[in-house]
Every structure is written in structure tokens, then in C-alpha cells.
Amino acid sequence: MISSNLSAIFYLISGILFILALRGLSSPDTSRQGNYFGILGMIIAITVTFLSVGNFSTTIIYVFLSLVIGGAIGAFIAFKIPMTAMPELVAGFHSLVGLAAVFVAIAAFLNPEAFNLGSPGNIKFASLVEMSIGAAVGAITFSGSIIAFLKLRGIMSGSPITFIGQHYINLILGITIFVLIFYLCKLQFESLYWTLIAISFLIGILLIIPIGGADMPVVISMLNSYSGWAAAGIGFTLENTALIITGALVGSSGAILSYIMCKAMNRSFISVILGGFGEENSSSDTKNKKDQKPVKSGNAEDAAFLMKNASSVIIVPGYGMAVAQAQHALREMVDKLKKNDIKVTYAIHPVAGRMPGHMNVLLAEANVPYDEVFELEDINNDFANTDVAFVIGANDVTNPAAKNDSESPIFGMPVLDVEKCKSVLFVKRSLSPGYAGIDNELFYKDNTLMLFADAKKMTEDIVKNLD
Amino acid sequence: MEIDPFIFRFSIFILSIFIGYYVVWSVTPSLHTPLMSVTNAISSVIIVGAIIAALAGSSNNIFDTSNIFGFLAIILAAVNIFGGFLVTQRMLQMYKKKKNKIK
């Protein structure tokens, strides 16, 4: 058994190692080292906890057993999960953090002596507030992440679910939470605690169901943030520095990512939360326009011909590439182009895909060197002196309506200036609008060639035609 | 009058938010997905609380409700710790520069 002062210092060290783990991610070169720092920090925190509790009775066997079970499941998932499924994996992991926070908060409420918080029915006021907040935020994170998971996985429809009075219900439930915490602190009834958790679960569900598929990058980032705040809340209860530091880090990390995602869509955080985006299905008006306007469509041969005669090509990947798992075929195509001395780069919009950085991971998986992949601001000027833009599975992020149609719901959103290229190849299954439900005028431009097919199949066909 | 220890913890909390703010802004956008998976893994340091809960009490009441919640929380957090760090590692292995291009 080690003194609580010594263990506090070790918790501080593990907190610092977690900071270094995030710091490492500033460049891919240092990132792996950063991850080791994180692992080391975790090992220190867990070891110190065992030593400071100092209970080495038979119970410890069950603790190790739980660790091994959980660890085995986690390792199995980590090795098996396909990279295209990262968004739902992260959502699933968030839900686990949330639920773990709830469980720890419940354990602390039922057995406060173990945590030096007082005795049952006579828990310190501050601890009660902290554990209530930790449990509530944890429960919201849990149920919200489950909904996000189901939506990303496609088990639940990605379209927003809205009903009248939704926001009022959320507001009332939110107020109820505060009232419950107030009375819980006064009366310390167990039933109030359970009600608090149940209502928080409900809020989590209600918060996420009105948010549509296109806003998923924001939702995931937001839940990431919540999981951090939940951890911090528990950290205050347990008076544990490692947890407080980590919770604050993760909380601000998620908040920054949400901000970046919102900005990339030119949407305010509030409007994302209120939801309903993407439900306005293309009105009859746009449908008529679609029928009238001519679209040039081509096949793999045309596309191969166009690209072979180009001197520079920019690839614009989007969610469609992930769905079709086309990243490997794409990389093959690029290799062929490079053999013909064609300059190929990749342009990635911040909200391409279903989570921040989704496309980068997929390209990395297909062995695309990361210094060929550029972010929106770094590459947008290059489109004007590029011969061919190859848009694969992206849509809304290329829509010029964001720049010139003030009526458009995506007006003001930063987009990739794909239309400035000499020609645009657009791989898409059909003319259907993207998640935002808006028609893309790019489809009807003279220099656009639509390639109607599954992204993977089309890319493979192009590869064949490049020989 | 003595300062409440809560204030010290609160100071740590606020300063950590600032550290997080600056550190996360310096994360390159191409690594945002690994950032999310690694933050997931580290926030599972909540396992500390789970272990305390599970180990509480003597060996003849291992399966009190609060202990059971502790064990469950350990399992959940362990899934996250192992899953989070390993999947991050797997992703980071894939990021390569032009030079190291092998195949």
C-alpha cells in the first residue's frame, strides 16, 4: 500500500503522459511515440490504483478476470474492425465510456465509504453533486452514442426523426435533471438517483435522433466531448487528478473537433443540435429541373482516356468511397496514372465521410503517402490549373451552390472548387442528391462527365482501361 | 481561512482544458480519426474508479451491488482501453511518407 500523496503524484504523471499522447498527434512521425506515452500513462494509473487500494484478497482475481475479458474483447475488435467502420467503432467506444462512468457513479453512490465520500444516506454534498453530474453526463453519452452507432451502422435510418414539441420535451427533461439533483442532495434517496439516470438515458436518445446522417461528424465529436466531461465529473468525485486532467483534455478535444466540423459545414452548433437537417427531400421544383437539364454521362473508357491525356489530376474522395470500399482500387488507378507521369494529389474536405479525418485513414490504409493528401485550404487554389478532378463518392462538399446560390441550405459552406478544373469526372451511383438533400449543379456543367456506377467497380474498370 | 481542496482540483481542471485546447489545435487534421480513438482510450482511465469500487469491502462480500457495478465498469473500460490504443496503433502504422513507399 502506498501513501495517497505518492499515488497522487503518479496520477499526475499519467495525466502528463496523456497530454504527450495527444501532443504526438501533431505529425504522423511523432504519433506512434505519442500512443506509447498514452499506453504507459494508462499502465501507471492502473498499477497505482491497485497499490493504493492495497486489497489483495481473492477479489483481485475477479478484477483481473474482468480486465482480461474486457481486454480480449477490445483487442479482438481492434484487430478485426475494417477501417471503413471506424465511425461506428468510435461511437460504440464512446457509449462504453459513458456507461462505465454511470456504473462507477452508481458504485460510488451505493458504497461511498470505499471512496471516502461519507456513508450511505450521508454523502458529502459536493461529492453528491459531482457524482450526479458524472452519472447524468455519462448516461447521456451512453444512450446518445448508441443511437449514433445504430445510425452509422445503418441499423437505424440516417434521416432525422423529428416530432412536434421535441425541443420542449428536451428542455423539460433538462430542467427535471437539475431539480432531481437538487432534491437528491437534500434527501439522498436512492430512487431519485435511479430516476436521474433513467431520465439522462432518455435525453441522450432524444438529443441524437433528430440529427441526420450528414451531421454525424459533429455528433461523434460532440459525444467525444461528453465522454470527456463525464470522466472529469467522476474524477472530481474520486478526487483523482489523472481523471480530471484526462476528462478536461478529452472534453476540450471533442469540443474543438465539433467546432471545426460545424465551421466546415457553415452551420452553427445550435442548429446541428436542434437537428432536422437533411430531411427536406428535393422538392418537386428541383426534381423538374433535373428532368430538363441534360447530363453527360460516360463510361470507364472515356474516363481513362481523359485522365491519360491529362498532366495533373486531383482526387476528391467522399463517403461513397468508404461505402464502396474503393480506396484500394483508387490507389491502383493512381499508381497507373503516376507511371504515365501524371501528377496526382488528393483533396480532402473536413466533413468528407462520417467522422473527422475519416478519408485520411482510408487513404492511409490503401498505402497512399500522407504527403500527397491535402486539406481544403491547402489545395483549393490548385483546381484552377488542374486538368481533371476525379470526384469519387463526394457530393455536397463540391457543390458550387454553396458559393453562388444564397437560397441553398448549404450556402456559405466552404467547398472544394472542383468546377474550376478543365474537366470533372464524377463517380456516383445515380443523380440522387447528397445527404443535405440538395441538387448539385456540377452534374449539369459542360465539362462534367458523370460516371454512373459503384465507386469500386468503376475505378477497377478505369484501371483496366488505363493499360 | 483554508482553501477547499475542491478549488485546487478545479484549478487543475481549468488549466487542463486550456492545455487540451492548445494541444488539440496543433493536431494535424489528417490525424483527427486517431485523435478520437486515442481520446477514447485515455478517457477510459475511469477504470481507476471501477477498480476501487470492485476491490472495496472484504472478501466475504465480493458480490455486493456496488462491487458488481465495479466489475462491469472494469470490463467496459478495459474493452475501451485495449480496443482504443490498439486500433489507434493500427491506424498510425498505416500513415507513411512517400519515401517509405514499399509495394
Side-chain angles (χ1 to χ4, degrees), chain B residues 10-79:
Chain B
F10 191 67
S11 318
I12 294 173
F13 178 65
I14 298 295
L15 291 174
S16 302
I17 291 178
F18 275 89
I19 294 173
Y21 180 85
Y22 288 107
V23 169
V24 171
W25 271 116
S26 75
V27 171
T28 163
S30 68
L31 290 176
H32 275 163
T33 299
L35 171 68
M36 300 199 91
S37 60
V38 86
T39 48
N40 232 308
I42 64 172
S43 56
S44 305
V45 73
I46 201 155
I47 198 169
V48 165
I51 294 173
I52 297 173
L55 285 179
S58 61
S59 41
N60 39 13
N61 58 359
I62 303 177
F63 293 115
D64 268 3
T65 328
S66 69
N67 295 62
I68 296 199
F69 277 112
F71 288 123
L72 291 176
I74 292 178
I75 296 178
L76 296 177
V79 172

Side-chain angles (χ1 to χ4, degrees), chain A residues 38-66:
Chain A
I39 296 172
L40 182 64
M42 188 60 75
I43 293 171
I44 293 178
I46 293 177
T47 316
V48 169
T49 309
F50 277 118
L51 293 177
S52 64
V53 176
N55 175 355
F56 295 106
S57 62
T58 42
T59 324
I60 206 158
I61 299 168
Y62 294 100
V63 171
F64 277 118
L65 197 65
S66 315

Side-chain angles (χ1 to χ4, degrees), chain A residues 348-350 374-382 414 416, chain B residues 29:
Chain A
I348 295 188
H349 191 277
F374 296 93
E375 301 298 319
L376 175 89
E377 318 84 79
D378 300 324
I379 200 164
N380 228 359
N381 292 329
D382 295 355
L416 291 158

Side-chain angles (χ1 to χ4, degrees), chain A residues 399-423:
Chain A
N399 195 342
K403 286 176 288 190
N404 46 34
D405 177 8
S406 56
E407 305 263 292
S408 170
I410 58 166
F411 183 71
M413 166 173 143
V415 286
L416 291 158
D417 297 333
V418 173
E419 77 281 2
K420 289 189 182 152
C421 282
K422 289 203 190 81
S423 38

Side-chain angles (χ1 to χ4, degrees), chain A residues 127-142:
Chain A
S127 308
L128 258 183
V129 176
E130 289 156 2
M131 72 173 77
S132 307
I133 293 174
V137 179
I140 292 172
T141 313
F142 170 70

Side-chain angles (χ1 to χ4, degrees), chain A residues 184-198:
Chain A
L184 181 70
C185 292
K186 268 179 102 169
L187 307 167
Q188 308 224 4
F189 288 162
E190 211 178 300
S191 56
L192 285 175
Y193 201 60
W194 297 112
T195 320
L196 172 74
I197 292 170

Side-chain angles (χ1 to χ4, degrees), chain A residues 23 25-26 32 35-36 42 55 70 78 81 86 93-94 96-97 111 114 224 238 240 246 356-358 360 369-370, chain B residues 26 28 30-31 33 39-42 48-49 54-57 66 79-80 83 85 89-92 94-97:
Chain A
R23 178 76 192 127
L25 289 170
S26 57
R32 276 164 286 242
N35 201 37
Y36 291 127
M42 188 60 75
N55 175 355
I81 192 92
M86 275 317 286
F93 278 170
H94 287 154
L96 298 184
V97 178
N111 187 3
N224 185 235
L238 306 185
N240 183 304
T246 317
H358 192 188
N360 302 77
Y370 62 82
Chain B
S26 75
T28 163
S30 68
L31 290 176
T33 299
T39 48
N40 232 308
I42 64 172
V48 165
L55 285 179
S66 69
V79 172
N80 248 316
F85 280 125
Q89 194 66 16
R90 205 179 126 202
M91 275 191 271
L92 294 176
M94 300 186 308
Y95 283 81
K96 292 186 191 90
K97 256 195 173 153

